[in-house]
Amino acid sequence: MWQLFAGFFRAGILGYGGGPASIPLVRREAVITYKWMNDEEFSDLLALGNTLPGPIITKMAGYIGYRVYGTSGLLVALFATVMPTVFIMIILVTTLSNAQDIAWVNGMTKAVIPVVGVMLVMLAYSFFRQSTLSNGVLQTIILILISLLVIVVMNIHPAVIIGTLILFALMKK
Protein backbone atom coordinates (compact mmCIF):
# COMPACT_ATOMS: atom_id res chain seq x y z
CA MET A 1 0.00 0.00 0.00
CA TRP A 2 2.93 2.33 0.74
CA GLN A 3 4.28 1.80 -2.80
CA LEU A 4 0.90 2.71 -4.23
CA PHE A 5 0.83 5.90 -2.16
CA ALA A 6 4.45 6.80 -3.01
CA GLY A 7 4.04 6.15 -6.73
CA PHE A 8 0.95 8.28 -7.12
CA PHE A 9 2.23 10.94 -4.73
CA ARG A 10 5.31 11.36 -6.95
CA ALA A 11 3.17 11.50 -10.08
CA GLY A 12 0.82 13.98 -8.42
CA ILE A 13 3.52 16.28 -7.12
CA LEU A 14 5.70 16.21 -10.25
CA GLY A 15 2.86 16.28 -12.80
CA TYR A 16 3.05 20.03 -13.38
CA GLY A 17 0.71 20.91 -16.22
CA GLY A 18 -1.99 18.30 -15.72
CA GLY A 19 -2.60 15.23 -17.85
CA PRO A 20 0.13 15.67 -20.46
CA ALA A 21 2.79 15.88 -17.77
CA SER A 22 1.22 13.29 -15.49
CA ILE A 23 0.72 10.47 -17.98
CA PRO A 24 4.44 9.69 -18.48
CA LEU A 25 4.96 9.85 -14.71
CA VAL A 26 2.09 7.45 -14.01
CA ARG A 27 3.41 5.13 -16.73
CA ARG A 28 6.86 5.13 -15.15
CA GLU A 29 5.44 4.22 -11.75
CA ALA A 30 2.83 1.68 -12.93
CA VAL A 31 4.79 -0.05 -15.70
CA ILE A 32 8.49 0.42 -15.01
CA THR A 33 8.98 0.98 -11.27
CA TYR A 34 6.30 -1.20 -9.67
CA LYS A 35 5.18 -3.36 -12.63
CA TRP A 36 1.50 -3.15 -11.72
CA MET A 37 0.73 -3.54 -15.45
CA ASN A 38 2.50 -3.82 -18.78
CA ASP A 39 2.72 -1.25 -21.59
CA GLU A 40 -0.22 -2.70 -23.51
CA GLU A 41 -2.48 -2.61 -20.45
CA PHE A 42 -1.35 0.95 -19.73
CA SER A 43 -2.10 1.99 -23.31
CA ASP A 44 -5.58 0.48 -23.03
CA LEU A 45 -6.15 2.28 -19.72
CA LEU A 46 -4.97 5.57 -21.20
CA ALA A 47 -7.24 5.20 -24.23
CA LEU A 48 -10.25 4.35 -22.09
CA GLY A 49 -9.45 7.08 -19.57
CA ASN A 50 -9.25 9.69 -22.33
CA THR A 51 -12.77 8.89 -23.46
CA LEU A 52 -14.19 9.64 -19.99
CA PRO A 53 -14.66 13.12 -18.52
CA GLY A 54 -12.41 14.48 -15.81
CA PRO A 55 -8.69 14.58 -15.07
CA ILE A 56 -6.84 11.59 -16.52
CA ILE A 57 -4.51 11.09 -13.56
CA THR A 58 -7.35 10.58 -11.08
CA LYS A 59 -9.05 8.07 -13.36
CA MET A 60 -5.78 6.18 -13.80
CA ALA A 61 -5.02 6.31 -10.09
CA GLY A 62 -8.47 5.02 -9.22
CA TYR A 63 -8.29 2.13 -11.66
CA ILE A 64 -4.72 1.10 -10.84
CA GLY A 65 -5.30 1.46 -7.09
CA TYR A 66 -8.43 -0.69 -7.30
CA ARG A 67 -6.65 -3.26 -9.45
CA VAL A 68 -3.72 -3.56 -7.05
CA TYR A 69 -5.43 -3.31 -3.62
CA GLY A 70 -9.19 -3.12 -4.16
CA THR A 71 -11.31 -0.33 -2.73
CA SER A 72 -8.71 0.74 -0.16
CA GLY A 73 -6.11 0.92 -2.93
CA LEU A 74 -8.45 3.09 -4.98
CA LEU A 75 -8.84 5.51 -2.07
CA VAL A 76 -5.11 5.60 -1.26
CA ALA A 77 -4.14 6.20 -4.90
CA LEU A 78 -6.70 8.96 -5.32
CA PHE A 79 -5.67 10.65 -2.07
CA ALA A 80 -1.97 10.43 -2.98
CA THR A 81 -2.70 11.91 -6.40
CA VAL A 82 -4.90 14.79 -5.30
CA MET A 83 -3.23 15.74 -2.01
CA PRO A 84 -0.08 17.32 -3.51
CA THR A 85 -2.12 19.38 -5.94
CA VAL A 86 -4.32 20.79 -3.20
CA PHE A 87 -1.40 21.80 -1.00
CA ILE A 88 0.73 23.12 -3.87
CA MET A 89 -2.18 25.14 -5.26
CA ILE A 90 -2.79 26.77 -1.91
CA ILE A 91 0.89 27.63 -1.48
CA LEU A 92 1.59 28.61 -5.10
CA VAL A 93 -1.49 30.72 -5.62
CA THR A 94 -0.73 32.64 -2.46
CA THR A 95 2.97 33.05 -3.22
CA LEU A 96 2.96 33.51 -6.98
CA SER A 97 0.07 35.94 -7.02
CA ASN A 98 2.26 38.24 -4.94
CA ALA A 99 5.33 37.63 -7.16
CA GLN A 100 3.85 37.42 -10.67
CA ASP A 101 5.77 40.45 -11.93
CA ILE A 102 9.20 39.10 -10.91
CA ALA A 103 11.25 37.99 -13.94
CA TRP A 104 12.60 34.74 -12.48
CA VAL A 105 9.08 33.59 -11.56
CA ASN A 106 7.94 34.08 -15.17
CA GLY A 107 11.09 32.35 -16.42
CA MET A 108 10.56 29.41 -14.09
CA THR A 109 7.03 28.79 -15.28
CA LYS A 110 8.04 29.11 -18.95
CA ALA A 111 10.99 26.72 -18.50
CA VAL A 112 8.68 23.86 -17.53
CA ILE A 113 6.95 23.81 -20.94
CA PRO A 114 9.86 22.28 -22.93
CA VAL A 115 10.35 19.61 -20.26
CA VAL A 116 6.71 18.57 -20.55
CA GLY A 117 7.10 18.57 -24.34
CA VAL A 118 10.04 16.16 -24.13
CA MET A 119 8.11 13.89 -21.77
CA LEU A 120 5.19 13.81 -24.22
CA VAL A 121 7.49 12.97 -27.14
CA MET A 122 9.01 10.11 -25.13
CA LEU A 123 5.54 8.81 -24.27
CA ALA A 124 4.38 9.09 -27.89
CA TYR A 125 7.46 7.22 -29.09
CA SER A 126 6.86 4.48 -26.54
CA PHE A 127 3.25 4.08 -27.71
CA PHE A 128 4.37 4.17 -31.37
CA ARG A 129 6.91 1.43 -30.73
CA GLN A 130 4.34 -0.67 -28.85
CA SER A 131 1.79 -0.17 -31.63
CA THR A 132 4.23 -1.19 -34.35
CA LEU A 133 4.93 -4.42 -32.50
CA SER A 134 1.26 -5.38 -32.42
CA ASN A 135 -0.06 -3.69 -35.61
CA GLY A 136 2.98 -3.34 -37.84
CA VAL A 137 4.70 -0.15 -38.98
CA LEU A 138 2.52 0.52 -42.02
CA GLN A 139 -0.81 0.09 -40.22
CA THR A 140 0.40 2.23 -37.31
CA ILE A 141 1.50 5.05 -39.62
CA ILE A 142 -1.78 4.89 -41.55
CA LEU A 143 -3.79 5.10 -38.30
CA ILE A 144 -1.67 8.05 -37.12
CA LEU A 145 -2.16 9.93 -40.39
CA ILE A 146 -5.90 9.26 -40.48
CA SER A 147 -6.20 10.35 -36.83
CA LEU A 148 -4.29 13.58 -37.49
CA LEU A 149 -6.40 14.29 -40.56
CA VAL A 150 -9.66 13.73 -38.72
CA ILE A 151 -8.61 15.70 -35.62
CA VAL A 152 -6.86 18.65 -37.31
CA VAL A 153 -8.65 19.04 -40.64
CA MET A 154 -12.13 17.77 -39.79
CA ASN A 155 -11.97 19.12 -36.21
CA ILE A 156 -13.38 15.93 -34.68
CA HIS A 157 -12.84 15.49 -30.94
CA PRO A 158 -10.01 13.05 -30.05
CA ALA A 159 -12.39 10.98 -27.89
CA VAL A 160 -14.28 10.02 -31.06
CA ILE A 161 -11.02 8.85 -32.64
CA ILE A 162 -10.04 6.89 -29.53
CA GLY A 163 -13.46 5.26 -29.34
CA THR A 164 -13.31 4.36 -33.04
CA LEU A 165 -9.82 2.90 -32.68
CA ILE A 166 -10.93 0.86 -29.66
CA LEU A 167 -13.81 -0.55 -31.73
CA PHE A 168 -11.38 -1.21 -34.59
CA ALA A 169 -9.06 -3.09 -32.24
CA LEU A 170 -11.93 -5.11 -30.78
CA MET A 171 -13.19 -6.10 -34.24
CA LYS A 172 -9.65 -7.02 -35.28
CA LYS A 173 -9.39 -9.62 -32.50
Side-chain angles (χ1 to χ4, degrees), residues 46-51 147 157-168:
L46 179 61
L48 182 60
N50 274 320
T51 63
S147 298
H157 194 277
V160 174
I161 304 301
I162 293 168
T164 304
L165 291 175
I166 289 171
L167 288 174
F168 176 76

Side-chain angles (χ1 to χ4, degrees), residues 22-37:
S22 301
I23 293 166
L25 298 170
V26 172
R27 181 188 167 274
R28 176 174 265 315
E29 299 295 338
V31 176
I32 297 169
T33 303
Y34 296 112
K35 298 182 183 5
W36 293 320
M37 57 181 38

Side-chain angles (χ1 to χ4, degrees), residues 93-129:
V93 167
T94 304
T95 305
L96 292 180
S97 66
N98 296 330
Q100 64 186 349
D101 296 328
I102 299 173
W104 69 268
V105 173
N106 284 327
M108 176 185 68
T109 56
K110 289 177 184 172
V112 172
I113 295 170
V115 174
V116 172
V118 169
M119 291 169 59
L120 286 172
V121 168
M122 291 173 55
L123 182 67
Y125 175 73
S126 171
F127 286 152
F128 176 79
R129 192 177 73 234

Side-chain angles (χ1 to χ4, degrees), residues 40 42 47 64 80 103 150:
E40 185 176 349
F42 185 81
I64 294 169
V150 172

Side-chain angles (χ1 to χ4, degrees), residues 7-109:
F8 280 102
F9 181 83
R10 277 192 297 269
I13 202 162
L14 298 174
Y16 182 86
S22 301
I23 293 166
L25 298 170
V26 172
R27 181 188 167 274
R28 176 174 265 315
E29 299 295 338
V31 176
I32 297 169
T33 303
Y34 296 112
K35 298 182 183 5
W36 293 320
M37 57 181 38
N38 61 36
D39 263 328
E40 185 176 349
E41 293 167 324
F42 185 81
S43 297
D44 292 345
L45 172 61
L46 179 61
L48 182 60
N50 274 320
T51 63
L52 301 171
I56 187 73
I57 190 169
T58 54
K59 292 179 277 188
M60 296 177 103
Y63 175 81
I64 294 169
Y66 184 80
R67 179 178 168 163
V68 176
Y69 289 110
T71 304
S72 57
L74 178 144
L75 295 173
V76 166
L78 284 176
F79 179 73
T81 302
V82 173
M83 182 184 68
T85 304
V86 171
F87 289 128
I88 289 172
M89 284 300 296
I90 291 168
I91 294 167
L92 284 179
V93 167
T94 304
T95 305
L96 292 180
S97 66
N98 296 330
Q100 64 186 349
D101 296 328
I102 299 173
W104 69 268
V105 173
N106 284 327
M108 176 185 68
T109 56

